[in-house]
Amino acid sequence: MTTNQTQFTPRFRTDIYPFIHPSKFRGSLQDKVTIITGAAGAIGQGLAESFAVAGAKLVLTYNNTPPPAELKERCVRFGTAGVEFVKCNVAELEGCEALVKQALDLYGKVDILINNAGANGLGPMYAQDPRDFIHDMAVNFNGPYYLMRLLVPKFREQRSGCVLNIASRAGTVTIPYSTSYCASKAALINLTACTQREMDVEELQDVHLYSLHPGGIKSAMTLKKYAKDSVASLPPQAQAFFTNTLDVYNDSPYLNGMVCVALATGVGKRVLRGRYFDVGQDLEDVLAQGEVLKANPDLYSLHTSFLGELTNAGLPPGGYHAEEVKFDFPGF
């Protein structure tokens, strides 16, 4: 789909900038109960501190490694209305059920869900233990689905709520030796979009969902994935492909954190809800082109392109054409 409306390229960002500066959003989510999964890592801690500045009540989850005690201290100092650490394996439905129950017991409601927990390995699809592949899918996709399935009915009842799914650019491109990660993140992006369409059909404009690329952050997971010993385990011809990968991981986790805060307040829900957003793109520049976005649903979404004028809508221009050559298929 094309549009004749004028477009301009958004500025690219690697750290906090004026439009999303914490001072603008201080107290903007006061007392909003916010679940953040995977809070122990760099991205999770950046999210927790950003939402603390906004005054949210935080339920921070971890699986194997608890967040540092200093994180709770920082969140309190930054302005959180409450913070609790909860152990939860999001790959298991029972763990997600227990998490939601605990959050509701603590605060009586949930307003914002941030699915940030992730699993990301490096290796050939044909050599990966199927149990490891399924585990990656369970953490990256099943967990967000479980929590959305548990909370979206609550959001429908209260007619408000926000889901921020931390996806990845890997969900929009093909990266060799990252099959489970790419596949699960692509599924997460489409889960977000499909669920938003359902909310829109029901005219629940204040239930808004987003999938995001959080930027290139040197998290523990990323450093482990691209460590020398990990890359050395790949087939020889593949190793050079990942030699300098970490050189582009220079973004601040607070860039993602504050973009998520801004989206949770609803600044972009008119045009970005249900879409995939790369936090490296200046949010102000993107929102300034809201009419372009509304006119072209393929922007900031997963879509397929075909040769010529063929579209993904099902019916080609001019309708279907009878085959020029007829033949008898054996047996018919």
Side-chain angles (χ1 to χ4, degrees), residues 133-189:
F133 187 98
I134 295 301
H135 173 264
D136 291 353
M137 294 293 295
V139 174
N140 296 336
F141 178 75
N142 293 11
Y145 161 72
Y146 292 150
L147 291 170
M148 288 170 61
R149 174 61 183 82
L150 292 163
L151 286 171
V152 166
K154 305 290 185 184
F155 293 168
R156 290 180 69 251
E157 290 174 11
Q158 63 199 34
R159 301 190 68 83
S160 66
C162 179
V163 178
L164 296 150
N165 286 325
I166 306 303
S168 170
R169 187 174 290 130
T172 67
V173 298
T174 54
I175 304 175
Y177 309 104
S178 296
T179 304
S180 59
Y181 191 66
C182 290
S184 57
K185 292 300 186 179
L188 182 60
I189 292 169

Side-chain angles (χ1 to χ4, degrees), residues 18 32 67 70 79 86 97 158 224 234:
K32 296 291 185 182
E70 295 78 18
V86 178
E97 290 173 331
Q158 63 199 34
K224 180 180 178 181
L234 296 175

Side-chain angles (χ1 to χ4, degrees), residues 71-106:
L71 176 62
K72 180 175 287 190
E73 296 171 4
R74 289 196 300 272
C75 288
V76 170
R77 187 168 73 250
F78 292 165
T80 183
V83 56
E84 296 288 337
F85 291 164
V86 178
K87 181 175 174 58
C88 174
N89 181 0
V90 298
E92 298 176 351
L93 175 58
E94 296 77 10
C96 292
E97 290 173 331
L99 168 62
V100 170
K101 182 179 185 304
Q102 187 164 348
L104 292 174
D105 287 346
L106 280 168

Side-chain angles (χ1 to χ4, degrees), residues 58-312:
L58 303 174
V59 179
L60 308 179
T61 84
Y62 66 96
N63 186 17
N64 296 317
T65 305
E70 295 78 18
L71 176 62
K72 180 175 287 190
E73 296 171 4
R74 289 196 300 272
C75 288
V76 170
R77 187 168 73 250
F78 292 165
T80 183
V83 56
E84 296 288 337
F85 291 164
V86 178
K87 181 175 174 58
C88 174
N89 181 0
V90 298
E92 298 176 351
L93 175 58
E94 296 77 10
C96 292
E97 290 173 331
L99 168 62
V100 170
K101 182 179 185 304
Q102 187 164 348
L104 292 174
D105 287 346
L106 280 168
Y107 298 120
K109 64 170 184 170
V110 175
D111 300 291
I112 300 165
L113 167 64
I114 306 178
N115 286 307
N116 171 63
N120 187 3
L122 185 69
M125 182 281 295
Y126 57 80
Q128 186 179 20
D129 187 322
R131 288 164 293 195
D132 292 337
F133 187 98
I134 295 301
H135 173 264
D136 291 353
M137 294 293 295
V139 174
N140 296 336
F141 178 75
N142 293 11
Y145 161 72
Y146 292 150
L147 291 170
M148 288 170 61
R149 174 61 183 82
L150 292 163
L151 286 171
V152 166
K154 305 290 185 184
F155 293 168
R156 290 180 69 251
E157 290 174 11
Q158 63 199 34
R159 301 190 68 83
S160 66
C162 179
V163 178
L164 296 150
N165 286 325
I166 306 303
S168 170
R169 187 174 290 130
T172 67
V173 298
T174 54
I175 304 175
Y177 309 104
S178 296
T179 304
S180 59
Y181 191 66
C182 290
S184 57
K185 292 300 186 179
L188 182 60
I189 292 169
N190 227 18
L191 173 68
T192 307
C194 290
T195 306
Q196 183 66 67
R197 287 293 297 274
E198 295 179 12
M199 299 301 100
D200 291 349
V201 168
E202 297 179 33
E203 298 184 348
L204 295 167
Q205 289 87 357
D206 289 330
V207 180
H208 48 126
L209 302 87
Y210 310 87
S211 55
L212 301 104
H213 171 55
I217 298 167
K218 285 186 172 70
S219 64
M221 183 174 69
T222 300
L223 292 172
K224 180 180 178 181
K225 176 176 182 176
Y226 295 117
K228 289 184 178 179
D229 59 340
S230 178
V231 173
S233 68
L234 296 175
Q237 60 270 44
Q239 294 177 22
F241 188 87
F242 296 100
T243 299
N244 299 313
T245 298
L246 287 173
D247 290 351
V248 299
Y249 283 76
N250 295 308
D251 296 342
S252 165
Y254 299 106
L255 171 64
N256 175 66
M258 288 310 304
V259 167
C260 285
V261 166
L263 291 175
T265 67
V267 298
K269 68 182 178 182
R270 187 177 72 90
V271 294
L272 280 178
R273 67 177 185 269
R275 306 213 192 202
Y276 162 82
F277 185 69
D278 184 333
V279 303
Q281 297 184 22
D282 187 293
L283 183 59
E284 183 177 21
D285 289 350
V286 173
L287 295 182
Q289 302 180 77
E291 295 309 311
V292 177
L293 284 167
K294 290 178 68 176
N296 188 349
D298 284 347
L299 290 172
Y300 295 82
S301 66
L302 295 182
H303 64 278
T304 300
S305 300
F306 299 103
L307 291 170
E309 297 181 0
L310 292 179
T311 71
N312 204 30

